[in-house]
Amino acid sequence: MTEAQPTDLTRMTAAALATAIASGACSAVDVAQAHLDRIAAVDDRVHAFLHVDTEGALVAAQAIDAARARGEELGPLAGVPVAVKDVLTTRGVPTTCGSKILEGWRPPYDSTIVRRLREAGLVMLGKTNMDEFAMGSSTEYSAYGATRNPWDLGRIPGGSGGGSAAALAAFEAPLAIGSDTGGSIRQPGSVTGTVGAKPTYGGNSRYGLVAFSSSLDTPGPCGRTVEDTALLHAVMSGHDPLDSTSIPAPVPPVVEAARQGASGDLHGVRVGLIGEFSGDGDEPGVAAATREAIQALVKLGAEIVEVSCPHFQYALPAYYLIAPSECSSNLARFDGVRYGLRVGDDGQRALEEVMSITRDAGFGPEVKRRIIIGTYALSSGYYDAYYGQAQKVRTLITRDFTTAFEQVDVLVSPTTPFVAFPFGSRTADPYQMYLADLYTIPINLYGGPAINVPCGLSEGLPVGLQIAAPTMADDQMYRVAAALESAIGTLTPPEL
Ligand code: GLN
């Protein structure tokens, strides 16, 4: 250890770790080992990880140290550890999507996002827990047991990407990858006091992202600071010919925008409040922290403009037709033949029967509920009334956003109406769980970017502000997010 060795590598930002590794103040192996030690010390209580790739992480870290010793130029996040949501394929490393049906599957290829992380020299620590196939808002629907919120181990860490968010809040990883179909990056960020961004749909490759709802699924970056999140965003994003919806355009200048925003000057920025989001259903502590965050933006020079988005009230029902419909089609591939689990194949049964038994044993109740809803909504005679109608609503919501963004640069709202709730308190009624994404779902239907930034505490638990921007204007949301962070600061949970 050199003198410049920081005392606790797990408490540092990704930006600071990258600088320390590049300058030789510490080695990438030291950084990886510190995080592996932290995981060993706390993850039996947090359960953020489904798989820890100790050997893979140390080998990757050694390669960075060797490259540095040879005098090679390192990328901006080289040697920095990252945790990856178990929805992205990782070559030779188990990928379960939180489901029994994929237990034991080791994909033969890396998703584009994971490949880019490896090429940029990031060190993958392992795969994080999630609601089965990314359906849920609490990780309680993981087939491998729930993740616990580091702020209060009796409460949920959000979902579906609760594992990635909890790993950050518990200082098990400085960076994490999530995926966001209706809020699964932002809502866990909100309830764990961490930052998470859903980039513009098409800005990040879905190649190797196990499909839930293909027209909505978006991989994205998570961190403890806005700058770290932007740094990861820049590394993972950009055109990919392997994804037909990938946008062939340069990545918006997110890192520059985050650094500009950190100066705390928002003069000339128009911040929109959505009139239809009355806040009636918000917990009082969430409403209060949101008001204070908006006041902070005003103090930094932002101009507040009220806008109208009359169709947002239909976003939740439209989402719960579109997402299950697409999922019922996407999840047809899990048939017990090609991947993971196979049950009931005794050599006597017909193939269809084996498929049916396997799917019954392999999928959990929430996934089955979605497949059944989606199959019904797509069935002949009902298609126009349900799926077709929902697509029309989606168009109206998109128009609401387009009109709003003619008047403002960003839109802000709470990320989620409530703070982390106790385990079991919303599992009995699916609708109560779905309400967690009231504020996050509309932007998925439109396709634009949105980020969660911690904005205060309510009864000792984190509250987050959502900042949304027009498609491919991801930099605008980072600027405002960094400015807010400069005013409010980051949140640190109590010691575990
Ligand atoms: N909670 C939402 C759902 O259950 C969103 C999930 C997601 O973004 N992956 O569908």
Side-chain angles (χ1 to χ4, degrees), residues 340-357:
L341 189 74
R342 182 181 306 182
V343 186
D345 186 9
D346 58 4
Q348 311 289 316
R349 288 195 173 95
L351 182 60
E352 268 195 14
E353 205 185 333
V354 174
M355 288 179 182
S356 168
I357 296 172

Side-chain angles (χ1 to χ4, degrees), residues 50-251:
L50 291 177
H51 178 82
V52 180
D53 188 13
T54 305
E55 200 193 320
L58 291 173
V59 167
Q62 278 157 8
I64 294 299
D65 290 335
R68 186 181 174 274
R70 288 193 300 270
E72 283 174 30
E73 186 142 341
L74 301 179
L77 288 175
V80 178
V82 62
V84 176
K85 188 177 179 184
D86 207 25
V87 68
L88 284 155
T89 60
T90 39
R91 186 161 184 255
V93 176
T95 301
T96 68
C97 281
S99 182
K100 286 283 174 206
I101 212 158
L102 279 178
E103 194 164 22
W105 184 51
R106 288 177 188 259
Y109 70 107
D110 273 337
S111 47
T112 295
I113 300 293
V114 167
R115 179 173 57 75
R116 284 189 179 156
L117 299 181
R118 292 196 203 279
E119 286 169 2
L122 281 95
V123 172
M124 192 184 75
L125 295 169
K127 308 296 290 290
T128 56
N129 199 11
M130 55 186 282
D131 287 296
E132 187 175 7
F133 285 106
M135 299 170 200
S137 301
S138 68
T139 76
E140 289 170 290
Y141 299 143
S142 167
Y144 302 98
T147 297
R148 295 183 199 91
N149 192 324
W151 286 81
D152 176 344
L153 297 175
R155 289 174 189 264
I156 60 101
S160 63
S164 284
L168 295 170
F171 298 99
E172 294 171 278
L175 294 173
I177 300 290
S179 69
D180 194 310
T181 303
S184 283
I185 289 176
R186 291 161 286 158
Q187 184 260 2
S190 178
V191 299
T192 59
T194 58
V195 180
K198 180 201 101 66
T200 295
Y201 180 86
N204 278 267
S205 173
R206 293 171 306 130
Y207 181 73
L209 174 74
V210 178
F212 161 17
S213 179
S214 307
S215 75
L216 300 163
D217 297 340
T218 312
C222 314
R224 284 191 297 262
T225 68
V226 174
E227 186 192 23
D228 282 1
T229 308
L231 284 163
L232 185 56
H233 188 127
V235 165
M236 66 189 283
S237 304
H239 181 241
D240 178 14
L242 297 175
D243 176 354
S244 62
T245 62
S246 174
I247 298 171
V251 180

